[in-house]
Amino acid sequence: MYVWDDVVGRHEKRMKRLPRLHQLALAVACVDGARSRMQAYLASYVPKKSLGTLNQVVKALWEFLAAPKQKKAAFSQKYVDELQAINPGEDDPVLVRGWGQILDAALRACDMAKGEDPKELILDCLSYAYQGIMEMAIKLESKGAKTTEKVLSNFEEKSPLCLAEMKFQLECLYSLESGGQVESALFPRHRFPPG
């Protein structure tokens, strides 16, 4: 996370200046982007039903964003409850690297959709999405190496997965800042596997 803090985290003020709906779009896009890049990896370790729940919640977030302003209903607490039910605890005997982090990112996006202050949640949401990718990258790329602070910093600078995630998050921010629409092709909603 050391490199992410310098590359993405330092843009927190810019994220907070976005209109509220754009802050939510940024959060959902980053959660969805990380989720889609983690899909095949998670499918090897996470129960299909749990992965399906995450996919359904992200899909519901996109549908919430796409609803016309005058017809926007409150985002359902049921989605938060479903995510919390599948979120592993620290004492879970089978912890999957990145799973808890992507769920925490999705929970932050849900909280934003439910009306909580996005200025308090946006950085956490993007950070958790990135941490999910980084944890997956450590599992896939480090081949069991020890993960000290120095090793992690060097790892982040060299990991294609980590670098791509930071680039994606910044591209989403730049797109929204430059007038990109919430419905932009940068935020596709069609990447959901069946189930």
Side-chain angles (χ1 to χ4, degrees), residues 62-142:
W62 278 123
E63 290 168 356
F64 178 80
L65 274 169
K69 193 173 187 177
Q70 64 275 18
K71 292 189 178 182
K72 216 177 266 303
F75 193 74
S76 177
Q77 176 67 32
K78 122 184 156 154
Y79 295 116
V80 173
D81 296 341
E82 289 173 357
L83 288 177
Q84 288 174 336
I86 62 172
N87 202 350
E90 289 181 19
D91 56 351
D92 194 309
V94 183
L95 285 178
V96 176
R97 289 195 94 125
W99 176 239
Q101 290 83 357
I102 193 64
L103 292 175
D104 286 340
L107 282 164
R108 297 310 182 279
C110 288
D111 289 343
M112 291 170 69
K114 289 181 63 212
E116 290 188 32
D117 187 358
K119 291 179 177 164
E120 300 301 319
L121 298 167
I122 187 72
L123 194 65
D124 280 352
C125 182
L126 271 62
S127 172
Y128 279 122
Y130 174 76
Q131 287 175 49
I133 292 290
M134 186 174 80
E135 289 292 329
M136 176 184 71
I138 290 168
K139 171 86 172 168
L140 298 175
E141 298 172 3
S142 72

Side-chain angles (χ1 to χ4, degrees), residues 136-188:
M136 176 184 71
I138 290 168
K139 171 86 172 168
L140 298 175
E141 298 172 3
S142 72
K143 298 176 182 33
K146 291 187 178 183
T147 52
T148 63
E149 286 182 28
K150 185 176 180 180
V151 169
L152 281 178
S153 182
N154 290 334
F155 179 81
E156 279 184 278
E157 291 174 350
K158 293 178 174 87
S159 166
L161 292 168
C162 291
L163 294 171
E165 181 64 16
M166 287 185 269
K167 181 180 178 194
F168 177 78
Q169 289 186 356
L170 289 175
E171 286 173 350
C172 291
L173 174 61
Y174 297 149
S175 174
L176 289 166
E177 282 180 322
S178 63
Q181 297 298 309
V182 172
E183 297 297 317
S184 164
L186 184 58
F187 312 121

